[in-house]
Each structure stands twice: as C-alpha cells, then as structure tokens.
C-alpha cells in the first residue's frame, strides 16, 4: 500500500512521545506512589481497551453496523484457526508487558529505556530467521555497537537520589531480557501474519486482543488470584495508573500501524528520541545523576539506532522464500 512519508513520520513521532511518557509514568507509579497496584490486572485492562478501540475503528472502516457484525462473524468468531494463530503473539506480548512492570519497579526509567533497545538485535535475528530477509554489514555493525552501548549503561548505572526504594537490579535486567525476547519474536510474527494476507489490520488486532484478554486473565489468576479476590481487581488504582493504562493502549495500537505500513526495524527510529526524553524526565522528576559511562552508552545506542535505520532495500512487504535457508543467510553475513 502506498503510504506517504509524512504519515509514517507522524506515526513514529506519536509512538516516540507515547513510549517516553509511558516509561516515565510507569516508573512513577511503581516507585513514587507507595500503594502499588496489581500489574497483571493493568495489563488485562489494557488489552480490553485496545480491543474496544479496534472494534470502534473497524466499525468506522466498514461504514455500518451490519457490515461490522458480518466482518466479526466471518473473520473472528467464524475463524477459530486464525484466533489460535494470533494467540501466539498475544501470549508473548502479555508476558512482555508484565515484565515491563517488573523491570521498572527495579530499574530507573532511563536505564530501562536504553537497556530495552536490545530488542533491536533480537528483532534483527527474528527478521532474518522468520521473514527470509538479509541485513547489511552496516546494520550488523550497528547491532554490535548497540550491545556495547547497553553494556556501558549497565557497567556503572546512573543513580537516582530523590526516589529511594528497595530495588533488585538483577531482577530488573532479567525482566528486561525476557521482555526483549518476547518483543522481538512477537513483533516479527505479527508482521508476518499482517503482510501475508489482505485481512484488515483492525480485524487482526481484534483477533489478537481477544486472545490477549484470555491470556492476561489467566495471568491474573495465577499470579495475584488470591490477593485480587481479597482486595479487589482495581486495588491501588489512581489517576496516574489509568494514565499509564491509556498510554499502553494507544502505544499498542500505534505500534501495529507502524508494523503494518513500515516494518519492525523502522520502529527503532523512535527509540533514540524516547531515550533522550525519558532521561531528561528522570533527571527532573527522580533526581537521576548521569554518569560518564551512562552518557557514552546512551550515545552509542542512539548512533547505532540511526545507523540501523539508514535507507536500504524495501522491507515493507514479505518476500517469497528464496533458495538460501535462514541458516545460510546468517552464515553469509
């Protein structure tokens, strides 16, 4: 589909602002606000909101209630195989979102934002293996540069002075690792499903969010079932928590639009600006003290993201399988 560059830039800009604001706001609710809420219920509500928003957009796209109902019957309730197919990224995204809460409870927002960029090499590997694409030598160089930058950030992490809470950095970095793996796999999987058929983006979203609601409800039951029954589903919710949920919902929808009309690699463009914004906010709100190693690491991450996104062959459409296998492609890089 022909999509203007202006529209792509608009989507990337909005996603950047949402990502930076979400990171800082989520960090605030997990540290500054002392009465913590259940992160599993927040993830579940996010899926519900995204489902309703997708249904609303699909209704506008179809133009009438009758067409909407027909579309839902044919593509959602009448296609259990498609629902099962979209349950795979639903599970991965649900786990990723829960890990984000764990990570931001144990890491500063700026450290989290930089470290989370390890999703780029993970996405690169998934893109090569799952979509039969190749990456240039410059892109692979930028991947290694990014890993070096993240290492520097963790080597001597920046310290916050205004927010004093008990944290476990190792738990935070472990949660980041799981979130990175889930993000890379789920993003590429969803892109492959989107671009392998002419099914509407919003139908695909509805299929995924329905599965996501089931997955996240199961997560609530397993992780916090007893406490939720005792204290209530919305225990600890404040206006800030609802704001975080809203940002997560909008961010999820914009991410799917970016994946549909560009690709997962293009999402990296917004990451550098999000790092800068969340770091500035952390300095102002949390008294973050920037170290030399942190600054150098963040700079390397931003440069690597820029190099990674330099113009290359079009990757917005799934290409037919070529003679080389995925393993051969990795070997030749």
């Amino acid at each position: 589909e022909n999509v203007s560059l202006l529209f792509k830039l608009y989507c990337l800009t909005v996603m950047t602002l949402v990502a930076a604001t979400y990171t800082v706001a989520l960090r605030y609710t997990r540290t500054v606000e002392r009465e913590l809420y259940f992160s599993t219920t927040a993830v579940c509500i996010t899926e519900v909101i995204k489902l309703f928003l997708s249904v609303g957009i699909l209704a506008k796209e179809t133009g009438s209630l009758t067409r909407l109902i027909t579309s839902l019957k044919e593509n959602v309730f009448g296609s259990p195989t498609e629902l099962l197919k979209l349950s795979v990224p639903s599970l991965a995204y649900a786990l990723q979102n829960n890990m984000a809460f764990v990570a931001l409870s144990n890491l500063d927002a700026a450290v989290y934002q930089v470290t989370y960029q390890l999703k780029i090499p993970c996405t690169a590997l998934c893109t090569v293996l799952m979509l039969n694409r190749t990456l240039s030598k410059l892109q692979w160089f930028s991947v290694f540069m990014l890993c070096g930058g993240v290492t520097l950030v963790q080597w001597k992490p920046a310290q916050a002075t205004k927010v004093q809470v008990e944290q476990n950095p190792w738990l935070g970095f472990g949660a980041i690792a799981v979130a990175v793996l889930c993000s890379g796999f789920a993003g590429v999987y969803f892109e492959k499903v989107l671009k392998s058929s002419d099914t509407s983006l919003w139908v695909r979203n509805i299929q995924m969010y329905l599965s996501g609601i089931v997955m996240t409800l199961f997560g609530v039951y397993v992780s916090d079932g007893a406490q939720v029954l005792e204290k209530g589903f919305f225990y600890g919710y404040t206006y800030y928590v609802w704001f975080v949920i809203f940002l997560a919902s909008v961010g999820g929808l914009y991410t799917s639009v970016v994946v549909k009309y560009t690709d997962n690699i293009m999402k990296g463009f917004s990451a550098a600006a999000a790092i800068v914004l969340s770091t500035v906010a952390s300095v102002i709100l949390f008294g973050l003290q920037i170290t030399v190693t942190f600054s150098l690491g963040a700079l390397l991450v931003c440069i690597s993201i820029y190099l990674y996104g330099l113009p290359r062959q079009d990757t917005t459409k799934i290409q037919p399988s070529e003679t080389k296998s995925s393993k051969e492609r990795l070997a030749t890089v």
Side-chain angles (χ1 to χ4, degrees):
E1 298 179 47
N2 294 322
V3 181
S4 68
L5 177 61
L6 184 62
F7 176 75
K8 292 180 181 180
L9 290 175
Y10 167 76
C11 290
L12 289 170
T13 301
V14 172
M15 196 170 72
T16 297
L17 295 174
V18 170
T21 308
Y22 170 77
T23 300
V24 175
L26 180 53
R27 164 72 176 175
Y28 179 85
T29 62
R30 302 304 289 179
T31 54
V32 177
E33 292 199 325
R34 304 309 303 155
E35 190 175 41
L36 295 182
Y37 53 97
F38 300 118
S39 61
T40 51
T41 63
V43 173
C44 182
I45 294 171
T46 299
E47 294 297 302
V48 173
I49 293 175
K50 287 191 288 188
L51 174 65
F52 278 104
L53 289 175
S54 296
V55 170
I57 296 173
L58 180 63
K60 184 178 180 180
E61 190 178 81
T62 54
S64 70
L65 181 60
T66 304
R67 291 178 182 174
L68 172 64
I69 295 174
T70 301
S71 179
L72 291 176
K73 284 182 178 179
E74 292 179 356
N75 299 300
V76 180
F77 303 108
S79 302
T81 304
E82 295 300 309
L83 280 175
L84 185 62
K85 184 190 299 183
L86 270 296
S87 66
V88 176
S90 293
L91 177 60
Y93 279 132
L95 184 57
Q96 173 195 340
N97 291 332
N98 277 289
M99 288 300 101
F101 282 87
V102 175
L104 278 165
S105 297
N106 293 279
L107 297 173
D108 186 81
V111 177
Y112 165 86
Q113 189 67 269
V114 175
T115 309
Y116 190 52
Q117 301 317 309
L118 285 173
K119 65 183 179 180
I120 293 180
C122 183
T123 301
L125 287 173
C126 290
T127 298
V128 171
L129 293 171
M130 297 171 62
L131 301 183
N132 293 318
R133 293 178 184 166
T134 57
L135 299 179
S136 68
K137 291 180 180 179
L138 180 62
Q139 287 175 315
W140 282 113
F141 171 76
S142 68
V143 166
F144 288 110
M145 180 186 291
L146 181 141
C147 292
V150 171
T151 300
L152 284 176
V153 168
Q154 298 182 40
W155 189 261
K156 191 177 180 182
Q159 300 294 328
T161 55
K162 290 182 181 178
V163 181
Q164 299 293 336
V165 293
E166 185 178 348
Q167 296 180 334
N168 185 341
W170 288 108
L171 177 60
F173 291 132
I176 284 285
V178 175
V180 161
L181 292 173
C182 291
S183 174
F185 170 76
V188 175
Y189 183 99
F190 188 53
E191 180 183 349
K192 184 174 183 178
V193 172
L194 275 180
K195 295 177 180 177
S196 297
S197 70
D198 295 328
T199 305
S200 167
L201 166 65
W202 305 109
V203 169
R204 289 301 191 191
N205 275 342
I206 291 170
Q207 292 170 339
M208 184 167 66
Y209 298 147
L210 278 174
S211 301
I213 291 172
V214 175
M215 299 289 182
T216 52
L217 280 175
F218 180 74
V220 172
Y221 173 77
V222 172
S223 300
D224 303 306
Q227 289 184 298
V228 169
L229 287 175
E230 178 185 351
K231 298 180 179 180
F233 196 86
F234 300 102
Y235 171 77
Y237 276 51
T238 63
Y239 291 115
Y240 291 108
V241 176
W242 283 109
F243 182 55
V244 167
I245 291 173
F246 169 76
L247 290 174
S249 303
V250 173
L253 291 180
Y254 264 99
T255 298
S256 64
V257 172
V258 170
V259 170
K260 173 68 175 178
Y261 295 115
T262 60
D263 59 30
N264 278 280
I265 296 174
M266 279 290 288
K267 289 193 298 181
F269 266 119
S270 64
I275 290 170
V276 174
L277 290 175
S278 59
T279 301
V280 171
S282 292
V283 171
I284 297 172
L285 298 176
F286 307 123
L288 183 73
Q289 296 178 338
I290 304 298
T291 63
V292 174
T293 52
F294 179 89
S295 301
L296 180 58
L299 178 62
L300 286 177
V301 169
C302 292
I303 293 174
S304 68
I305 292 171
Y306 169 75
L307 294 176
Y308 199 82
L310 286 177
R312 63 200 183 286
Q313 66 177 17
D314 179 40
T315 61
T316 59
K317 295 184 181 297
I318 299 294
Q319 301 295 332
S321 298
E322 298 176 9
T323 55
K324 288 186 178 181
S325 65
S326 298
K327 292 184 179 179
E328 290 174 329
R329 289 174 177 274
L330 283 172
T332 56
V333 172

